[in-house]
Amino acid sequence: MKYPAIQNYINGKLVNASTSKTLEVISPVDGNLLSTVPMSSSKDLDDAVKAAKAAFPVWSKMPIKERVQVFFRYKYLLEKNLKELSELCSEENGKTYGESVAEIEKCIELTEFATSLPQLVTGEVLEVSRGVECRTEHVPLGVVASIVPFNFPSMVPNWTIPNAIALGNCMIIKPSEKVPLSCGRLAELLKEAGLPDGVFNIVHGDSEIVEAICDHHHIEAVSFVGSTKVAKIVYQRATHNYKRCLALGGAKNHLMVLPDAKADMTAQNVAASMSGCAGQRCMAASAMVGVGDVDHIIDKICDEARKIVPGKNLGAVINKDSQTRIERYITEAEQQGAKILVDGRNAKVDGKEKGTYVGPTVIDYVTPDMAVAKEEIFGPVISIMRTDTVDEALAIENASPYGNAASVFTQNGGLARYIIDRASAGMIGVNVGVPVPREPFSFGGWNESKFGVGDITGKSSIEFWTKLKKSTTKWNPEAGVNWMS
Ligand code: NAD
């Protein structure tokens, strides 16, 4: 085992969980055992909540300009440790080193945004009647929780950590049991940056801890990122217990490719979007709708896909189950009459025989009723459907229950605007394969890709992590009294 057994992080200290149950943490790169992760109990969560609750009065009363100083230092520490954090991310998640570097750079950008919060959370003040002032302030909620998935071991935690904590909350995070190591390293950096003990805590575990978070009386808000199936469970359970909840779910993102699109640029973007992070991105292109004759572009997409080689510029998928599931989707589509133009099944990487790899896969002549057209595959696979008109392409996109992202590839501005207006997704790209809005713009999908109000990052996160206090004041007796004051 490469790393020591993982422990919970409560009140600034590593502590053993109250149970002896653990899971193995296996590297998808080569199948090696990295560590073990404890499956904590609700007692461990309770300890973490107590620590967070105790830290809250001092942390929340600190002026925000002081709180963000921690994040200026944290940003510097992320930069300083970029290489080591990236290596750890690749090791536990399987993505390529370059993709991990991009992930840590995104953490730096997210932290940079948090350091700008003092400029954004200024309240409002107005003399609403003669001598009477109304004023609003953003007040932190208290103890909050963040539940995160496996596909971005550092970035998704950093969607919530800097903003929620800089805004004055104390946090408990539940990392994915598949990639629990990176979060532990983030805790060390936060401590080194000067974050007081108890403000940030980690409780490892599985669904039992997630359910305990949703039920805990002293947790005020729950942020969740993961599959739609679990997002629904968490959203229902947390809101049933009167908590604020924002639950981001899975995706099936459509790219609409028009015949006038720049062929090389489109092919490179489509191939990169479907295969980046081995297709394990909620923003990955998973379905393409070719409108009219786009054969020349599909040929180039296949050429690009063939340049993507597992173990070189394509990372591993998270585990054997995932590999089997993705390959099953491809085989089923083939049996149903789709044509596999580039086949990523049975991928092997020399010297890493126990690694879990799927090569880039391009499937053509998919019909909208096939599972590969409708379901989230979460692997480096693109399913191509064909239509005669833009409206037919939009009808396919609109029929998806998801709504994270959609993109259009064209040189026609009017048609691009037509599609932006009609696509049923929260994030739209024009000639962009992965239309992630960068800070300060907020990230969030629609439909079954997100439950709750607002978005998770950017300015929108201020509303989620704070509540508004409205005060009405009058100091001069001569202002008198009327029915409004
Ligand atoms: P997942 O839903 O299986 O797990 C997410 C978290 O929920 C983990 O911490 C896990 O321990 C916990 N969990 C799992 N099953 C549970 C259950 N039955 N009850 C309670 N908790 C449970 O997701 P994953 O496989 O880790 O991540 C991949 C998914 O996340 C994909 O669907 C992807 O699209 C989605 N995702 C979405 C976004 C977004 O912004 N919308 C971002 C990243 C990932």
Side-chain angles (χ1 to χ4, degrees):
M1 193 160 88
K2 179 164 179 191
Y3 298 100
I6 294 168
Q7 294 172 287
N8 289 332
Y9 178 76
I10 297 175
N11 207 17
K13 288 172 203 64
L14 290 171
V15 292
N16 286 328
S18 60
T19 68
S20 55
K21 197 175 149 206
T22 59
L23 289 182
E24 291 186 333
V25 183
I26 307 280
S27 174
V29 176
D30 50 17
N32 285 343
L33 177 65
L34 295 176
S35 185
T36 58
V37 58
M39 295 296 101
S40 310
S41 73
S42 55
K43 143 117 195 26
D44 302 310
L45 177 69
D46 225 25
D47 291 346
V49 174
K50 280 194 188 107
K53 220 169 144 39
F56 181 69
V58 172
W59 180 247
S60 60
K61 285 285 168 274
M62 203 182 266
I64 188 165
K65 280 167 93 71
E66 282 179 38
R67 287 197 300 256
V68 297
Q69 297 312 313
V70 170
F71 289 97
F72 279 108
R73 293 189 290 268
Y74 176 65
K75 176 179 176 284
Y76 161 74
L77 291 171
L78 289 171
E79 286 161 351
K80 187 176 157 203
N81 293 284
L82 186 138
K83 184 169 177 291
E84 178 225 319
L85 288 163
S86 304
E87 283 166 358
L88 185 62
C89 180
S90 286
E91 220 173 5
E92 66 174 344
N93 171 276
K95 63 182 71 178
T96 66
Y97 178 71
E99 288 165 348
S100 292
V101 169
E103 172 162 353
I104 306 304
E105 283 171 350
K106 183 69 198 176
C107 298
I108 293 165
E109 184 176 78
L110 290 158
T111 307
E112 185 180 290
F113 174 78
T115 61
S116 74
L117 281 168
Q119 328 320 320
L120 298 172
V121 290
T122 49
E124 294 174 321
V125 62
L126 182 72
E127 187 184 37
V128 289
S129 310
R130 204 171 293 267
V132 179
E133 244 176 41
C134 271
R135 156 196 177 123
T136 58
E137 291 163 83
H138 288 275
V139 176
L141 303 174
V143 179
V144 299
S146 175
I147 303 159
V148 291
F150 80 79
N151 63 328
F152 285 96
S154 283
M155 184 191 77
V156 174
N158 277 295
W159 276 358
T160 58
I161 297 169
N163 291 353
I165 294 180
L167 288 165
N169 299 289
C170 294
M171 177 178 276
I172 290 147
I173 199 160
K174 206 297 281 171
S176 164
E177 61 277 32
K178 293 172 190 145
V179 294
L181 287 156
S182 293
C183 240
R185 197 61 195 107
L186 298 180
E188 288 172 1
L189 298 185
L190 285 165
K191 187 164 175 120
E192 195 180 335
L195 191 71
D197 291 348
V199 175
F200 177 71
N201 306 276
I202 306 175
V203 180
H204 293 282
D206 57 12
S207 56
E208 193 181 325
I209 289 301
V210 173
E211 287 165 10
I213 286 173
C214 295
D215 294 346
H216 203 291
H217 288 315
H218 296 301
I219 293 179
E220 307 297 332
V222 178
S223 140
F224 172 88
V225 181
S227 62
T228 291
K229 180 179 147 231
V230 183
K232 284 180 177 173
I233 295 171
V234 169
Y235 189 75
Q236 272 195 342
R237 195 157 176 154
T239 55
H240 177 79
N241 287 312
Y242 311 110
K243 294 183 199 315
R244 203 176 266 211
C245 182
L246 189 59
L248 274 60
K252 185 80 185 173
N253 305 314
H254 292 74
L255 305 183
M256 285 164 263
V257 176
L258 276 51
D260 72 334
K262 295 256 184 218
D264 288 331
M265 180 176 81
T266 303
Q268 283 157 13
N269 274 271
V270 173
S273 176
M274 67 100 153
S275 68
C277 300
Q280 300 172 122
R281 286 189 289 191
C282 65
M283 295 295 281
S286 176
M288 174 181 141
V289 190
V291 181
D293 182 6
V294 292
D295 283 343
H296 60 296
I297 301 177
I298 293 173
D299 287 346
K300 283 183 187 281
I301 292 172
C302 292
D303 292 343
E304 289 297 326
R306 289 188 193 98
K307 293 182 201 160
I308 300 166
V309 181
K312 291 204 171 86
N313 52 356
L314 179 66
V317 298
I318 191 68
N319 56 27
K320 186 83 196 150
D321 284 353
S322 226
Q323 184 187 35
T324 310
R325 191 197 65 242
I326 298 162
E327 293 194 346
R328 197 186 311 121
Y329 270 116
I330 303 168
T331 303
E332 195 184 290
E334 188 176 39
Q335 287 164 350
Q336 291 170 342
K339 195 168 165 199
I340 315 296
L341 302 182
V342 181
D343 191 349
R345 287 172 289 185
N346 305 312
K348 293 273 175 299
V349 174
D350 283 346
K352 297 192 169 114
E353 282 70 21
K354 286 198 192 140
T356 42
Y357 296 89
V358 179
T361 301
V362 181
I363 314 178
D364 201 358
Y365 298 103
V366 169
T367 52
D369 56 318
M370 291 181 189
V372 286
K374 294 190 292 193
E375 295 171 20
E376 181 174 41
I377 300 173
F378 228 49
V381 179
I382 187 106
S383 307
I384 303 178
M385 288 166 274
R386 313 260 192 153
T387 63
D388 292 329
T389 67
V390 163
D391 284 330
E392 286 168 303
L394 278 166
I396 291 173
E397 192 278 337
N398 285 184
S400 172
Y402 297 108
N404 223 32
S407 289
V408 52
F409 287 83
T410 182
Q411 288 301 301
N412 183 325
L415 271 180
R417 184 68 239 180
Y418 185 86
I419 289 173
I420 292 173
D421 287 344
R422 288 162 182 79
S424 182
M427 295 170 278
I428 313 284
V430 176
N431 299 314
V432 173
V434 187
V436 173
R438 291 184 64 170
E439 315 325 291
F441 299 97
S442 63
F443 184 101
W446 285 2
N447 309 330
E448 295 206 350
S449 292
K450 191 192 70 192
F451 304 92
V453 177
D455 286 334
I456 197 163
T457 61
K459 289 181 198 163
S460 188
S461 69
I462 297 170
E463 302 308 321
F464 186 70
W465 296 120
T466 62
K467 52 193 176 189
L468 268 190
K469 180 165 278 182
K470 287 75 63 180
S471 50
T472 305
T473 53
K474 175 170 69 182
W475 295 105
N476 49 337
E478 67 279 11
V481 175
N482 66 27
W483 68 276
M484 285 290 284
S485 61

